[in-house]
Amino acid sequence: LTCMSSVINQDDIVYQVEKILELKDIEPDQREPMIDAIIAEIPGLCKLGVFSLEVIPDNQKPLSTRFVLKIKRKADGSYDKHKARLVVRGFLAKLGVDFYATYS
């Protein structure tokens, strides 16, 4: 299964907000915009082809991920947008098994 598949669309993805640990340190009035940023991140990754939804075999363990949440500001310091990035906890990845190249 991939995100690009017609079988899966954004409405099929269940967001369990209470399980997103990064939201616990966010001010209550900022949580809703951050959740919207998180929801927008996954389809964006799917569209770029860098993320897919997969069935994990019983003998394998997925790499853990976390969200990096930021409030972006314009040059004058005024609010621009809320930004969420999904990152793999790379220190757990093994070259040649979990990835074959890195990009920056």
Side-chain angles (χ1 to χ4, degrees), residues 67-82:
F67 281 101
V68 175
L69 305 172
K70 293 177 101 177
I71 297 175
K72 302 294 267 184
R73 302 209 175 266
K74 296 179 183 176
D76 64 2
S78 62
Y79 169 81
D80 186 23
K81 63 182 174 179
H82 286 76

Side-chain angles (χ1 to χ4, degrees), residues 15-21 23:
Y15 299 96
Q16 295 177 324
V17 174
E18 66 278 359
K19 292 188 176 183
I20 300 173
L21 297 177
L23 288 174

Side-chain angles (χ1 to χ4, degrees), residues 21-73:
L21 297 177
E22 293 82 2
L23 288 174
K24 71 178 167 84
D25 296 328
I26 302 293
E27 296 291 326
D29 63 327
Q30 296 295 320
R31 285 190 184 145
E32 196 64 39
M34 284 297 185
I35 291 167
D36 292 341
I38 289 169
I39 290 170
E41 175 70 357
I42 301 299
L45 292 173
C46 293
K47 189 183 292 187
L48 291 171
V50 297
F51 179 84
S52 63
L53 300 173
E54 303 291 334
V55 176
I56 301 169
D58 291 335
N59 63 343
Q60 292 186 350
K61 185 176 176 184
L63 294 174
S64 63
T65 59
R66 66 181 304 256
F67 281 101
V68 175
L69 305 172
K70 293 177 101 177
I71 297 175
K72 302 294 267 184
R73 302 209 175 266

